[in-house]
């Protein structure tokens, strides 16, 4: 993707990114270290030399995410293709819109508002409590829609949410769920997780979106917004109907496998557009990832290890099993310089 042309289409200047990560920049250091480790395990065909380029593009996408919401008050500056497929489906039947932290991932909310569709956005408690602070521009638009009874922000962890969603679905609202959210995985509610394949590994994901679909008797619409050089392209997967499988648990497994299979296609081709690369190891829930046996001398140290910091303490992390080894400051700085991170 040509980010310069993309930014020109938005009417903004691309954000310059530093060529090297400083030892004092703990956030960037850890983000790259974890991204590289997760790429090692989930996209092993990608050579380490490309990890740095992907990290640069990943950071550019993060910066663009912060810019996106400023365009939502008016028409988005770039052409948008494919969204009509989703709108046609929603006009026939409201349902659970399953989307991801991928591409222009907040654009779906803006489009639903502009189309006058009624919907509820389901978020975790942390996002719910800090929504206005994190998304001030988008919040103003959504507040206006809420007063017009076209939008509801729901706290997924509130005891009243299920009853509220049931009422909203009966009134014709759709529910937007970001199914790759990390909060449901990290909370430790093991009975709410199911194991599915993803990029050659076995991961654990929340089954909540599929359970809602089955409980309410409404379909699931997987969709994502892919950034292209000169446009946004919405990709809509085939609809998942709860009538396919009567047993709820079996339906949840089937539906979540389909939903993450759809995501994996685009993650493999545009990995830099997925914001979860630095968090993906959480989905393993402590289970060691599959990886090939390494032949001594077959790879360099920086291919097998990452440099990270816990608070201010420097560590070496083995990518294949995420185990960490404490380093002294001199060795850490030496490796950081030698590996040219």
């Amino acid at each position: 993707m040509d980010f310069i042309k993309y930014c020109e289409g938005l009417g903004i200047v691309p954000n310059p990114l530093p060529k090297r990560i400083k030892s004092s920049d703990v956030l960037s250091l850890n983000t790259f270290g974890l991204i590289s480790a997760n790429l090692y395990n989930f996209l092993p065909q990608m050579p380490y030399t490309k990890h740095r380029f992907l990290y640069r593009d990943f950071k550019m996408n993060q910066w663009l995410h912060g810019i996106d919401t400023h365009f939502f008050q008016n028409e988005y500056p770039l052409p948008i293709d494919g969204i009509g497929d989703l709108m046609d489906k929603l006009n026939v039947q409201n349902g659970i819109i399953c989307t991801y932290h991928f591409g222009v991932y907040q654009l779906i909310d803006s489009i639903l508002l502009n189309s006058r569709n009624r919907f509820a956005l389901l978020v975790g408690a942390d996002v719910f409590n800090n929504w206005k602070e994190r998304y001030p521009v988008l919040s103003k638009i959504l507040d206006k829609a809420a007063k017009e009874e076209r939008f509801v922000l729901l706290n997924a962890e509130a005891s009243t949410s299920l009853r509220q969603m049931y009422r909203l679905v009966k009134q014709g609202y759709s529910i937007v769920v970001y199914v790759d959210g990390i909060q449901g995985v990290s909370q430790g509610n093991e009975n709410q997780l199911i194991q599915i394949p993803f990029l050659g590994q076995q991961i654990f994901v929340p089954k909540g979106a599929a359970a809602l679909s089955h409980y309410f008797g409404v379909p699931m619409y997987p969709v994502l917004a892919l950034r292209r050089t000169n446009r946004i392209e919405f990709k809509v997967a085939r609809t998942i109907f709860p009538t396919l499988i009567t047993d709820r648990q079996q339906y949840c497994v089937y539906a979540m496998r389909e939903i993450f299979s759809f995501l994996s296609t685009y993650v493999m081709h545009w990995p830099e557009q997925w914001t979860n690369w630095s968090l993906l190891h959480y989905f393993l829930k402590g289970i060691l990832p599959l990886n090939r046996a390494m032949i001594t001398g077959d790879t360099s140290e920086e291919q097998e290890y990452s440099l990270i910091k816990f608070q201010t303490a420097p560590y070496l992390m083995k990518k294949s099993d995420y185990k960490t080894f404490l380093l002294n400051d001199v060795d850490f700085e030496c490796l950081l310089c030698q590996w040219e991170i």
Side-chain angles (χ1 to χ4, degrees), residues 36-321:
S36 183
N38 289 331
L39 288 170
Y40 175 95
N41 290 311
F42 286 85
L43 287 184
Q45 72 276 17
M46 178 183 289
Y48 172 73
T49 52
K50 289 191 176 182
H51 290 192
R52 300 171 191 168
F53 295 109
L54 183 139
Y55 173 73
R56 178 201 62 195
D57 292 345
F58 173 87
K59 293 292 288 184
M60 177 63 78
N61 272 276
Q62 282 192 319
W63 178 73
L64 287 170
H65 293 320
I67 298 293
D68 284 333
T69 56
H70 293 281
F71 296 115
F72 291 166
Q73 287 179 307
N74 302 299
E75 186 175 346
Y76 201 75
L78 293 176
I80 299 173
D81 300 331
I83 191 61
D85 294 342
L86 177 62
M87 295 298 107
D88 289 343
K89 293 181 178 184
L90 292 176
N91 288 336
V92 174
Q93 170 69 66
N94 62 316
I96 311 297
I97 300 172
C98 300
T99 191
Y100 316 85
H101 295 87
F102 183 98
V104 196
Y105 60 82
Q106 292 175 329
L107 183 57
I108 181 64
D109 303 320
S110 175
I111 289 175
L112 288 171
L113 289 172
N114 292 334
S115 67
R116 312 295 292 184
N117 273 271
R118 294 190 296 172
F119 73 102
L121 177 60
L122 188 65
V123 298
D126 179 60
V127 176
F128 183 87
N129 293 329
N130 298 286
W131 179 262
K132 292 185 183 296
E133 181 181 340
R134 294 176 64 174
Y135 308 111
V137 177
L138 187 57
S139 291
K140 292 180 181 179
I141 307 170
L142 296 178
D143 285 347
K144 182 177 182 293
K147 292 178 181 178
E148 298 172 354
E149 297 185 348
R150 295 188 294 110
F151 170 75
V152 179
L153 184 66
L154 293 173
N155 181 352
E157 297 164 53
S159 59
T160 59
S161 288
L162 182 61
R163 184 168 62 253
Q164 192 175 3
M165 279 188 285
Y166 183 80
R167 176 176 57 81
L168 291 171
V169 168
K170 291 299 182 182
Q171 292 175 355
Y173 282 72
S174 290
I175 310 292
V176 176
V177 183
Y178 287 85
V179 291
D180 61 341
I182 190 65
Q183 193 165 13
V185 176
S186 59
Q187 287 172 343
N189 298 326
E190 306 301 329
N191 61 327
Q192 297 299 317
L193 302 178
I194 54 176
Q195 190 174 12
I196 62 168
F198 183 67
L199 298 177
Q201 302 288 354
Q202 292 290 317
I203 64 171
F204 293 85
V205 300
K207 63 181 180 180
L212 291 174
S213 167
H214 199 271
Y215 181 76
F216 296 146
V218 294
M220 304 177 76
Y221 303 119
V223 59
L224 57 80
L226 175 67
R227 293 188 198 272
R228 294 291 214 174
T229 296
N230 299 309
R231 68 189 192 280
I232 306 299
E233 187 175 343
F234 271 88
K235 298 292 186 180
V236 183
R238 62 183 180 182
T239 303
I240 303 172
F241 293 98
T243 53
L244 290 173
I245 302 174
T246 56
D247 182 81
R248 183 170 299 167
Q249 182 65 14
Q250 291 180 12
Y251 173 74
C252 288
V253 173
Y254 164 77
M256 298 313 295
R257 286 173 67 105
E258 288 286 301
I259 286 167
F260 275 82
S261 175
F262 173 65
L263 172 64
S264 69
T265 300
Y266 298 95
V267 168
M268 283 191 294
H269 288 84
W270 292 275
E272 73 284 352
Q273 295 197 33
W274 193 40
T275 67
N276 274 15
W277 276 113
S278 61
L279 306 171
L280 187 49
H281 55 289
Y282 285 110
F283 290 84
L284 291 168
K285 297 296 289 183
I287 295 179
L288 290 180
L290 297 171
N291 48 63
R292 64 190 180 95
M294 304 304 297
I295 301 173
T296 304
D298 187 35
T299 59
S300 59
E301 290 178 337
E302 64 264 38
Q303 289 177 294
E304 295 294 302
Y305 294 89
S306 286
L307 294 171
I308 59 174
K309 285 187 175 182
F310 294 146
Q311 298 178 340
T312 58
Y315 286 84
L316 189 69
M317 181 176 69
K318 190 175 181 181
K319 296 177 182 178
S320 61
D321 56 13

